[in-house]
Amino acid sequence: MKHVVYRLFGLVAISFCVCLAQAEGVWTLVTDASTLQTGDKVIIVSSVAERALGTTQNTNNRNAVPITKNNDNTCTIDEKTQQFTLIEGKSDGTYAFYTGDGYLYAASSKTGENYLRTESTLSNNSSWSISITIEGIATIVAQGKNTNNRLKHNSESYIFSCYSSSSNQKEVSLYKYSEVQSQPTKIQI
């Protein structure tokens, strides 16, 4: 019996493996608005440049920070990129972009005031309809009374802001975060 126990213990010790699995995240281009849901983590990215909406809230807009778009419809970001949580907007079928301490909103109707700001209380101006083409081009429109209500990228000024429907500023895309389980690492002892 003692021989069997030692032999079993030896086999266990020799073949013992520690499996370490690590959750890694990936930001993937959204090509269908119906795949979005409350609770999703998203970033807003220029559709024509390697720039994302940044964490710096300027007086009337957000900065555009460099990112890397990959060939597989994913992107690589850093801590300067604003990560949003999608929450239910005030109007049916809309979403709000929650920063952790406020909501992005379209802040003006006046000509030349292309304001994108952050407000602490959810309103119709911070409730956005989102439609997305199969190529990932997103039309994001605030539902409040402010008419400069389309979220776009100004590639000449390196900012994201809100513009009227007649604006020629660049469209945006959404990238959604998902965790991907990496392959376990086996360590034999």
Side-chain angles (χ1 to χ4, degrees):
M1 178 70 167
K2 193 185 230 182
H3 182 269
V4 172
V5 171
Y6 284 135
R7 188 168 212 198
L8 184 58
F9 180 73
L11 287 174
V12 170
I14 290 171
S15 63
F16 177 77
C17 85
V18 178
C19 295
L20 303 172
Q22 189 175 10
E24 296 178 1
V26 63
W27 294 96
T28 305
L29 178 67
V30 178
T31 57
D32 182 354
S34 70
T35 64
L36 297 172
Q37 57 187 348
T38 58
D40 283 347
K41 285 173 48 176
V42 297
I43 58 174
I44 299 169
V45 175
S46 173
S47 63
V48 296
E50 292 195 2
R51 296 279 177 166
L53 190 144
T55 56
T56 302
Q57 177 64 62
N58 300 318
T59 304
N60 297 315
N61 53 56
R62 284 291 187 108
N63 64 328
V65 297
I67 62 165
T68 301
K69 291 182 181 178
N70 305 312
N71 291 335
D72 61 354
N73 282 337
T74 64
C75 70
T76 306
I77 67 169
D78 64 23
E79 70 283 350
K80 295 176 187 169
T81 302
Q82 178 69 64
Q83 298 179 27
F84 297 98
T85 302
L86 286 182
I87 67 163
E88 188 175 339
K90 291 198 64 99
S91 307
D92 287 344
T94 63
Y95 292 100
F97 295 101
Y98 183 61
T99 65
D101 59 0
Y103 309 92
L104 279 188
Y105 81 106
S108 182
S109 290
K110 293 181 181 177
T111 303
E113 290 185 358
N114 303 309
Y115 296 169
L116 174 65
R117 294 179 177 159
T118 306
E119 63 184 357
S120 58
T121 303
L122 182 63
S123 72
N124 284 324
N125 286 314
S126 54
S127 299
W128 306 82
S129 68
I130 301 172
S131 61
I132 302 175
T133 68
I134 196 165
E135 294 84 17
I137 306 301
T139 302
I140 303 174
V141 183
Q143 299 302 296
K145 292 182 179 179
N146 291 333
T147 56
N148 295 336
N149 59 357
R150 285 169 166 64
L151 184 53
K152 294 190 174 190
H153 175 231
N154 181 329
S155 59
E156 293 176 12
S157 299
Y158 297 106
I159 60 169
F160 286 83
S161 207
C162 286
Y163 300 90
S164 69
S165 59
S166 62
S167 170
N168 62 356
Q169 299 302 330
K170 306 305 180 193
E171 299 295 340
V172 296
S173 297
L174 292 180
Y175 283 70
K176 183 167 69 169
Y177 180 82
S178 59
E179 284 191 356
V180 176
Q181 200 74 331
S182 64
Q183 293 294 328
T185 303
K186 295 181 180 179
I187 303 171
Q188 295 212 356
I189 301 174

